Amino acid sequence: MQNQPQRKGGGDDGLMIIGALLIMITVMWFGFRDYVIYGVCRLLYWIYGVLPDAITPGNAAERRDMLLSAARYNHQVSLWDFISVMNDTASVLFPLFILIIGLFVWVISRNPYYRLTRKRGLRANGTKTYAKKLIHCLN
């Protein structure tokens, strides 16, 4: 076995990921704003068309018209207008997200390598010492 150098720091990984996401979102917005608005509005328009009216929350026709006009005039839509349209129309995606999250939790919980479900063997030496420390901490 080779000695691998220990990584120092390591606490900046989360900040680097958040920073990279913010930079990517900024580049996408300012570089491809028209395409982003058109694509998101058309995708939600299609989702509203596929789902039956019983599933979509009230006035689906008005929401589809709002999405269609935002997609049609995407070069005139500001950031706040886009946020307003998404606030009014993206609620149809929440049941889909809940379904995906539930499926993800089910798959992870069924995984045999998941930390809480695998069986661990106890070592004979040191078990009594650990049990005594644990009982002492609980008292």
Side-chain angles (χ1 to χ4, degrees):
M1 290 184 56
Q2 296 178 350
N3 291 335
Q4 305 228 350
Q6 292 291 328
R7 186 172 169 194
K8 296 179 182 176
D12 297 334
D13 290 343
L15 291 176
M16 286 176 37
I17 291 172
I18 291 172
L21 285 174
L22 288 175
I23 289 171
M24 184 184 70
I25 289 170
T26 304
V27 167
M28 288 295 292
W29 180 255
F30 288 110
F32 306 102
R33 180 178 65 88
D34 295 343
Y35 299 111
V36 169
I37 292 173
Y38 181 79
V40 170
C41 289
R42 287 298 292 194
L43 177 68
L44 282 173
Y45 181 82
W46 178 80
I47 289 173
Y48 269 103
V50 170
L51 294 177
D53 290 336
I55 295 175
T56 57
N59 9 358
E62 291 178 16
R63 292 177 183 196
R64 287 186 76 191
D65 289 340
M66 185 186 324
L67 287 166
L68 193 60
S69 64
R72 183 176 294 141
Y73 301 110
N74 58 6
H75 55 282
Q76 297 175 351
V77 176
S78 69
L79 174 65
W80 301 116
D81 293 337
F82 181 66
I83 289 173
S84 175
V85 168
M86 290 300 110
N87 190 26
D88 291 340
T89 59
S91 63
V92 74
L93 296 177
F94 288 131
L96 180 65
F97 288 147
I98 290 171
L99 180 68
I100 290 172
I101 289 170
L103 181 66
F104 179 74
V105 167
W106 182 77
V107 166
I108 292 296
S109 68
R110 304 293 292 175
N111 188 349
Y113 294 107
Y114 188 58
R115 185 170 50 109
L116 297 177
T117 60
R118 67 181 169 191
K119 306 274 189 271
R120 293 186 181 188
L122 295 176
R123 291 180 291 157
N125 57 353
T127 306
K128 292 180 182 178
T129 308
Y130 177 73
K132 286 180 184 177
K133 288 181 183 177
L134 182 64
I135 291 171
H136 179 66
C137 290
L138 293 175
N139 288 331

